[in-house]
Every structure is written in C-alpha cells, then in structure tokens.
Amino acid sequence: MPEKINVCAYLRGSMDELLEKISRIRSEIDGFASAEKDVAEHFRIRFIGSSGAVKNLMGDMKSILPEKRKEAGLALNALKKYAEEKYTQLKESVSAAVEEKGHSIDLTLPGNELPVGTRHPISIVRNRIVSIFQRLGFTVAEGPEVEDDWHNFTALNLPENHPARDMQDTFYVNQDPAWMLRTHTSSVQVREMEKGYMPIRIVCPGRVFRNETISARAHCFFHQVEGLYIEEDVSFADLKQTLYFFVREMFGKDIGIRFRPSYFPFTEPSAEMDISCLICGGKGCNVCKYTGWVEILGCGMVHPNVLDNCGIDSKKYTGFAFGMGIERITMLKYQINDLRLFSENDVRFLAQFRNAI
Ligand code: DAH
C-alpha cells in the first residue's frame, strides 16, 4: 500500500539522517575550539550536558524503525563515549596548564583600575561656593539663559541708551534687542524679587554670555554666581562679613582681603573685592599685574530704583548683592592660566581634578 511505503521511506530516511548527524557532531567534536576561558565546561555544555548535542540526538530514536533501533543505539552510544573521552582529555589538559603556570588566579595582584570620570573643575568650584553660602542660610535660585531686556538690563537700573550697557557686549537673539543671552546672573535677582516674598537670601549660579574674542583671559561664555540678601535693616557691614566668611572658607584663613569703591548701576554704594594674589603670594606677578591683588567680585547695596522696579518698598527694605565669576575663582584656586582649558574638554586637563575638593 502506498501509504505504508511512504512511512517506511520516511523511517529509512531517519536512520540515514541520524547517521549523518552523528558524523557531523563527531567532526564538530574533533574541531572543537573555544575562546571562552573555561574550555572544558564550554565543551560539556555544547555536547554532553542535558541540552547538549548528543542528548538531543537521543530524541531522534523515536523515529527509527524498531529493527533498526539497536544499530542506532550503538552508533549513538559510540558518539556519547567519544564525546566523554574528549571531555576528560580537555579537563586534563586544562589542569596541566594551570599546574605549569601555578595557580590561575593570584588574589594578591592589584585589581585593574577602571577609567572613572571626574567632575569638571567649574562644577567643583560652583558646588563649593554654593555650599558655603548655604551654610549661611542662602538657597539656590535659577533663571533662563535667554533673557528679556527688562530682566537683564532695564530693571537693574540700566534703561535704554544707558552708557553702562556698553560694558557688556551682548548677544541678541535674531538681532532683536528685546531678547538676548543673559550677560550676567543679576537677571535672576530681578526674577526672585518680582516673586514678592520676603526676606530673600539667594545665590544664583549659572552660565552667562558675552560677545568677546576668545583668548586666555576672555571667553564668549563663562559662569557666575550672583548673591542677594534683602530684608529690613541689611547693612554694608552685613555684606562685608558675609563676603569675608566666604573668602576665608574658600581660600583659607590667611588670605588678604580688601574692598575698593567701584561703580555698578544696580548697587549704591558699590565695591569690588580683591584678594591677595595666590599665584605669587602678594609679591607681584603677571596675574596680579604686579600689584599683589586680584579682583574676585563686584558687590554693593541694592539700588533703591532696582527695589522699586521689582515691586519692593525701598523705604522699608534694604539689601546687598554681589556677583562673582566662577572661572576666575577656579583659576586662582588651582593656578590655571588659560580660560580656554575649561571648554576644550581635554581629558589630560580634566583628569587632574579627580581628587580635587
Ligand atoms: N553683574 C556684574 C557683572 O556681571 C557683577 C555684579 C557686580 C553683580 C555687583 C552684583 C553686584 O550683584 O552687586 O559684572
């Protein structure tokens, strides 16, 4: 009957197939090589483990004609033995190699160092500045980098055509004078004052932008921290004490500090603060232009016009503000002489700050 013939043909085919598979696995065993560390274990899993190639073939026995099963079983057993012998050989050769070299793992060797990133020096110093002021009760406030004319200039007592606007070369957005990249973080103090809560005691770290030619001493973007304290009866003495505390925490107790009268449209009176030059120790060098002093920040009592512009009663409240450049402080602290290093992302430079605090 055709049906029976078909079945027989299929079963006979299975025996041939089985023998062919056996010979394929044999040559695979002969040529076995592995890049894995544990070659023997790798071999065991591939061929004799519970889901290895030999075990899988056992399942094919079902489709073999009963009278052919013995022959198939013998062939399969021979293959199994062959694989097991090869496995024993592999295990022996591996342990011989270990004996020759001594123990394969030397637990006393130092570990491999993993490449670990570092914080950027600007971030390290910014965090340090912020945490010093936080200890005095200041909190952090932030504002947008694209700013409008009111917050960057007008509210800060710099109305249109005020000559002091030229002190800061501004990047305008789409040449529209109403929108710009902020030239200083003083814009954030305006935004905070406009919120209308009292007292205000904030530091505002952030990136600022000025249209300057890039050199060792100037860049088109850099970072500042603005500070603002407004309450009843805040005085210039409070300003000085706060900044003395900051500088000593930042640079150490022995640092020289001096205030010089200055001018900013948003403060009255205004001052700049210098510290003794850390590069030459005050003896005179090109960083301090042979004066022994370097300027690190501008400050003053918030101008009454600024308070009024922001809806704060200037008869009732007074306050101080200050602004410092993070790059300048970082350069002094770590004796870095070129501003461009901060934005080039050269790993040889950045890796030096691995243990910096
Ligand atoms: N905004 C000034 C600048 O970018 C820095 C500054 C000076 C901020 C005096 C102040 C201040 O708050 O009182 O140069």
Side-chain angles (χ1 to χ4, degrees):
M1 280 185 293
E3 257 180 37
K4 196 165 182 194
I5 290 163
N6 275 348
V7 172
C8 287
Y10 165 72
L11 292 175
R12 216 177 307 116
S14 293
M15 185 63 191
D16 291 346
E17 254 174 47
L18 181 74
L19 292 175
E20 199 197 303
K21 280 187 192 167
I22 288 178
S23 96
R24 230 186 298 132
I25 292 175
R26 237 176 208 275
S27 39
E28 212 190 307
I29 289 175
D30 291 338
F32 182 81
S34 169
E36 303 285 317
K37 244 192 180 163
D38 197 342
V39 193
E41 178 60 5
H42 199 49
F43 181 93
R44 191 189 65 76
I45 293 166
R46 171 76 190 94
F47 297 104
I48 47 189
S50 55
S51 30
V54 178
K55 191 86 177 188
N56 278 347
L57 269 193
M58 299 288 181
D60 285 19
M61 283 289 274
K62 286 197 295 287
S63 51
I64 304 293
L65 277 178
E67 60 267 32
K68 289 274 180 190
R69 288 225 174 114
K70 193 170 173 200
E71 192 190 331
L74 284 173
L76 270 175
N77 273 340
L79 176 69
K80 192 173 167 218
K81 204 163 158 235
Y82 189 68
E84 281 168 354
E85 275 166 16
K86 177 82 188 226
Y87 174 57
T88 316
Q89 272 172 26
L90 268 178
K91 272 203 302 194
E92 277 166 7
S93 66
V94 169
S95 61
V98 168
E99 247 167 55
E100 214 171 272
K101 273 200 294 178
H103 202 291
S104 62
I105 307 168
D106 181 351
L107 295 174
T108 64
L109 284 174
N112 294 334
E113 200 180 323
L114 294 173
V116 183
T118 58
R119 262 190 221 290
H120 194 282
I122 295 294
S123 305
I124 295 172
V125 172
R126 180 205 50 215
N127 293 349
R128 185 87 191 274
I129 296 171
V130 167
S131 80
I132 294 171
F133 284 104
Q134 278 174 331
R135 279 153 58 200
L136 293 174
F138 285 73
T139 54
V140 173
E142 285 179 327
E145 291 180 359
V146 176
E147 205 33 293
D148 54 45
D149 179 275
W150 171 256
H151 292 97
N152 196 75
F153 288 132
T154 306
L156 287 163
N157 206 25
L158 278 142
E160 216 182 314
N161 302 323
H162 191 291
R165 285 196 181 204
D166 299 340
M167 279 160 56
Q168 304 179 349
D169 298 305
T170 310
F171 282 119
Y172 289 98
V173 177
N174 295 335
Q175 270 126 46
D176 177 353
W179 291 97
M180 63 209 66
L181 298 183
R182 66 180 176 196
T183 57
H184 51 185
T185 42
S186 303
S187 53
V188 186
Q189 54 160 288
V190 176
R191 290 185 172 275
E192 285 301 306
M193 286 192 272
E194 283 175 339
K195 288 182 182 165
Y197 63 83
M198 278 301 158
I200 301 174
R201 206 189 284 117
I202 49 163
V203 277
C204 325
R207 181 173 289 185
V208 301
F209 307 83
R210 290 187 199 174
N211 193 356
E212 301 220 20
T213 312
I214 297 171
S215 72
R217 305 184 125 254
H219 211 290
C220 59
F221 72 83
F222 52 99
H223 300 79
Q224 291 186 329
V225 177
E226 179 82 12
L228 178 71
Y229 176 32
I230 303 198
E231 211 175 336
E232 285 176 45
D233 299 327
V234 176
S235 70
F236 201 89
D238 297 323
L239 167 63
K240 281 178 91 173
Q241 284 312 314
T242 304
L243 294 179
Y244 278 146
F245 176 79
F246 162 70
V247 170
R248 291 195 182 119
E249 288 298 304
M250 191 73 204
F251 294 105
K253 299 269 177 278
D254 300 329
I255 194 86
I257 304 171
R258 74 176 187 187
F259 281 85
R260 273 182 296 105
S262 184
Y263 169 76
F264 297 102
F266 26 88
T267 43
E268 181 60 37
S270 302
E272 278 174 302
M273 189 170 146
D274 299 341
I275 59 170
S276 50
C277 181
L278 291 157
I279 312 285
C280 63
K283 282 189 214 85
C285 66
N286 59 352
V287 172
C288 61
K289 301 194 192 94
Y290 300 94
T291 62
W293 295 95
V294 266
E295 182 240 309
I296 62 157
L297 56 82
C299 59
M301 301 306 292
V302 179
H303 198 293
N305 289 353
V306 175
L307 295 173
D308 293 336
N309 285 341
C310 301
I312 292 174
D313 183 354
S314 59
K315 306 235 164 28
K316 185 169 174 201
Y317 293 103
T318 51
F320 66 70
F322 55 86
M324 63 185 95
I326 303 181
E327 275 80 356
R328 168 70 67 90
I329 293 181
T330 311
M331 289 169 97
L332 288 169
K333 191 158 175 60
Y334 298 117
Q335 322 221 322
I336 298 163
N337 58 9
D338 194 324
L339 254 180
R340 291 168 291 197
L341 287 165
F342 293 126
S343 46
E344 281 166 354
N345 280 339
D346 185 329
V347 176
R348 291 168 303 176
F349 170 70
L350 298 175
Q352 296 177 62
F353 297 89
R354 182 153 300 151
N355 300 314
I357 44 161

